[in-house]
Amino acid sequence: MTVRVGTGTDIHRLVEGRALWLGGVRIDHVKGGLGRGDADVLLHAICDALLGAAGLGDIGHHFPDTDQRWKDADSKDLLRRVVGSLKEQGWSIGNVDSTLLLERPKIKPHLPAMRTTIARILGVEEAAVSIKATTNEGMGYVGREEGVCAHAVALIQR
């Protein structure tokens, strides 16, 4: 059996007038991610972790922001496409561990829905999806609520 690990990170500016999508779930908040599509940093970081583990590049390579097809992309669809690419290469997903960095809103109430959504897309049990959240204690762009960041690690096997 071959086992590989990949990491992913994504960052988006937070601005008023945009919906906040995290882990495939829309979260009620006054600010949302600025970016192409729904700017879901958590799903983007997971995509990068999976692609990296398989040696398939990164999300920007597969879904470039210069290509109008991805202008209004739903990040859940991007993750489905990444999972499909891994399956075509003979990989299966072992688990994903991730961390969100943002001051507000509190993420704990949304974790069950996020884990369910991600697990369904990945085709794994919910126990194989870990999502943690932390603040930046008021420091930096996260602390000033100017941006949101996500880190992810994925294990794949074949």
Side-chain angles (χ1 to χ4, degrees), residues 31-140:
K31 293 181 178 180
L34 179 63
R36 296 184 54 98
D38 58 21
D40 188 327
V41 294
L42 182 55
L43 295 189
H44 294 178
I46 292 170
C47 284
D48 270 351
L50 292 167
L51 289 166
L56 297 174
D58 64 14
I59 194 171
H61 173 78
H62 292 269
F63 315 108
D65 63 6
T66 55
D67 187 332
Q68 290 302 307
R69 289 181 296 167
W70 312 118
K71 181 177 183 245
D72 297 316
D74 178 336
S75 295
K76 292 183 298 293
D77 181 51
L78 300 182
L79 184 56
R80 282 184 198 98
R81 290 171 182 268
V82 167
V83 170
S85 293
L86 266 67
K87 286 182 180 179
E88 287 174 8
Q89 298 285 325
W91 294 106
S92 64
I93 298 165
N95 75 301
V96 171
D97 182 28
S98 60
T99 304
L100 281 164
L101 290 89
L102 73 163
E103 292 298 306
R104 292 184 309 127
K106 294 297 181 193
I107 297 304
K108 187 176 182 179
H110 308 285
L111 289 175
M114 293 163 62
R115 287 182 74 203
T116 297
T117 299
I118 294 168
R120 284 184 183 151
I121 295 169
L122 298 180
V124 299
E125 296 179 4
E126 286 185 33
V129 176
S130 172
I131 306 166
K132 303 170 299 294
T134 188
T135 69
N136 229 34
E137 300 293 331
M139 299 178 292

Side-chain angles (χ1 to χ4, degrees), residues 11-12 14 31 101-104 135-149:
I11 302 167
H12 283 287
L14 287 172
K31 293 181 178 180
L101 290 89
L102 73 163
E103 292 298 306
R104 292 184 309 127
T135 69
N136 229 34
E137 300 293 331
M139 299 178 292
Y141 69 90
V142 170
R144 292 187 301 270
E145 298 183 43
E146 296 169 357
V148 57
C149 179

Side-chain angles (χ1 to χ4, degrees), residues 6-17:
T7 65
T9 299
D10 196 38
I11 302 167
H12 283 287
R13 226 175 250 178
L14 287 172
V15 296
E16 292 184 14

